[in-house]
Amino acid sequence: EESELVRRRAAGLPNLFKTPVPSRIIASFKQCSHASFPRVHVVIALPMRHTDASLTVRNSMVARGVFMAVSRFMEQAATRDYSQHWQIEGTFPWLFQQPKPAIGKRPIGVRDNYERCVYGKQPYWMPAYFYESNMVWPDAIEEHPVPEVDGYDWWGVDWEMVENIQGMITRPGTRVINDLAKLQQAFDPDRPHIYECVEGITERPHEMMPFDEFLLGFVTEPEAMDRFFQKMADYKIECCKQVFEHYGRVDGVLYHDDWGTQRSGFYSNEMFDEQVKPATARLLKYIKDSGKFIELHSCGCNIQYVPEMLDMGIDMWTPQDNANDADRLYGEYGNDMTFCFPYEPAVDADEDRIRDEVRSFVDRFGGKGRAMCWIRTMDPAQDAIARDELYRYSLAYYNEKYGRG
């Protein structure tokens, strides 16, 4: 109750982390009358006890009203009717959830070729990123507001839409310290099915407190931060488990965790190895042991972490294009990791120019068989031309490279 938290703050600040009692994830399953998949109600119970009134990272979240609304949003998520469509047309979740038309006859299956590219096993053509996959974004895992507009996720974190980037951010100053949709039947079975595991282990805590305090925690409260990350890994593993068991076929996981600015990573490599990697590696090992490939979405100039990415079993990274040197990434790591690089035609580019630029893209990044092309244009005609040329030219390119008839 809100009044109880206010009373506790007046009496003395609770300590979230210095307790031997482990955090618990309580899952209750309810059947929705419209679906055969179980609804998952996930509650995070963080133990607390009283301590002194010093404002540290571990207690400042509750000190400023962190958990006052969490239970309300957890309950809202648990009682939502996921047999309905909740996302608003045009938003990213809505786009991910739309069935795509069959691609048509190709030398091998689209999923087979995509996985060949992910694992570096001589693909037949260079995949058109996003177009050649199905993104699994269940509404029932409310890591963002549902629908994706200004509002709260099931952690009680306040989000707002930034129109000029068409993406969500947590509202500055925020402090907060299920039946899976029947997408499987609608998605093209020839495409790989990729689960979007958003709001990663290090992202969630800095959505629940100011970012500067989050970074200070690595120095002032390293053991507390490690315990938080390990509990987040438990939670993410449980989310993956539920998706793998109840959604249907899942071929890969797109794990989201931003690790840097446009100039460099947030952490030194030593700090990353000591404090970020252990919990992250445990989550990714669960995914790999479940037979899924791993793609990383991590904004920032994060080339310094590529050795750690490889050590943790990450197969593919879609680097932020305006923060990373694509040629350097491809040159230094293109034999060991698959990269997705963007191609964005000029607004006034005609067909001849688009086809020529796509051929140049394949020549530039196709030689190691571990690159995908993300065609980014709002013009359907340009998109169709670029995809057609990417398939035709890269098919001939790889046929010659690998000695196929």
Side-chain angles (χ1 to χ4, degrees), residues 292-340:
K292 322 300 180 185
F293 64 78
I294 300 173
E295 179 186 348
L296 176 67
H297 170 100
S298 186
C299 289
C301 181
N302 294 332
I303 189 171
Q304 71 191 74
Y305 303 132
V306 172
E308 284 84 354
M309 296 179 197
L310 293 170
D311 190 54
M312 291 188 292
I314 292 170
D315 302 294
M316 176 177 169
W317 177 31
T318 304
Q320 183 180 341
D321 59 291
N322 61 355
N324 294 275
D325 184 336
D327 290 294
R328 181 184 170 195
L329 282 171
Y330 176 74
E332 293 186 18
Y333 299 108
N335 288 317
D336 304 310
M337 175 178 282
T338 297
F339 295 104
C340 173

Side-chain angles (χ1 to χ4, degrees), residues 67-323:
F67 290 113
M68 294 167 64
V70 174
S71 61
R72 174 161 62 94
F73 293 105
M74 288 283 187
E75 179 63 22
Q76 176 179 290
T79 57
R80 193 187 301 276
D81 180 4
Y82 293 110
S83 66
Q84 299 182 30
H85 293 285
W86 286 94
Q87 299 299 341
I88 296 173
E89 184 173 349
T91 62
F92 276 114
W94 181 87
L95 292 171
F96 292 158
Q97 293 173 357
Q98 300 312 298
K100 298 174 183 176
I103 289 178
K105 185 172 178 58
R106 293 199 171 180
I108 62 173
V110 174
R111 178 177 61 149
D112 185 6
N113 186 73
Y114 196 100
E115 292 183 343
R116 281 172 174 261
C117 186
V118 168
Y119 294 123
K121 295 183 177 180
Q122 301 185 1
Y124 276 68
W125 68 89
M126 182 180 288
Y129 185 73
F130 183 67
Y131 175 75
E132 293 188 21
S133 63
N134 298 310
M135 294 300 183
V136 181
W137 187 298
D139 287 338
I141 298 179
E142 298 197 10
E143 298 280 19
H144 282 192
V146 176
E148 183 119 330
V149 294
D150 291 8
Y152 295 85
D153 62 25
W154 63 2
W155 292 82
V157 171
D158 190 7
W159 293 79
E160 63 179 347
M161 178 66 71
V162 180
E163 293 298 333
N164 63 340
I165 65 169
Q166 283 299 295
M168 302 287 285
I169 65 169
T170 52
R171 195 177 300 278
T174 290
R175 288 182 181 274
V176 178
I177 246 193
N178 318 351
D179 166 27
L180 298 180
K182 286 187 174 181
L183 300 176
Q184 179 80 25
Q185 295 92 327
F187 278 170
D188 177 11
D190 193 36
R191 287 176 166 90
H193 291 205
I194 304 172
Y195 166 47
E196 292 261 357
C197 184
V198 299
E199 310 316 312
I201 288 171
T202 68
E203 284 181 324
R204 180 53 69 180
H206 69 67
E207 292 163 358
M208 301 172 74
M209 68 173 82
F211 192 75
D212 55 348
E213 294 183 20
F214 163 75
L215 291 177
L216 283 171
F218 282 84
V219 178
T220 62
E221 302 284 351
E223 294 181 358
M225 295 295 287
D226 179 66
R227 286 196 293 274
F228 191 99
F229 292 156
Q230 291 294 344
K231 293 304 177 183
M232 282 304 303
D234 291 341
Y235 162 71
K236 289 295 183 183
I237 288 171
E238 183 66 21
C239 286
C240 288
K241 179 182 177 182
Q242 297 301 329
V243 172
F244 298 165
E245 287 185 2
H246 300 296
Y247 166 76
R249 194 192 88 213
V250 175
D251 304 299
V253 173
L254 176 47
Y255 176 62
H256 292 238
D257 207 3
D258 293 344
W259 291 336
T261 70
Q262 287 184 270
R263 293 180 295 179
S264 67
F266 294 142
Y267 326 102
S268 69
N269 285 74
E270 293 78 11
M271 183 176 285
F272 188 98
D273 288 343
E274 291 177 6
Q275 294 174 267
V276 175
K277 187 176 177 181
T280 304
R282 185 162 65 86
L283 165 63
L284 299 184
K285 183 179 186 300
Y286 173 81
I287 295 170
K288 295 288 282 192
D289 289 349
S290 300
K292 322 300 180 185
F293 64 78
I294 300 173
E295 179 186 348
L296 176 67
H297 170 100
S298 186
C299 289
C301 181
N302 294 332
I303 189 171
Q304 71 191 74
Y305 303 132
V306 172
E308 284 84 354
M309 296 179 197
L310 293 170
D311 190 54
M312 291 188 292
I314 292 170
D315 302 294
M316 176 177 169
W317 177 31
T318 304
Q320 183 180 341
D321 59 291
N322 61 355

Side-chain angles (χ1 to χ4, degrees), residues 5-16:
L5 284 175
V6 172
R7 186 191 66 76
R8 288 185 182 183
R9 291 203 304 278
L13 299 175
N15 183 325
L16 289 182

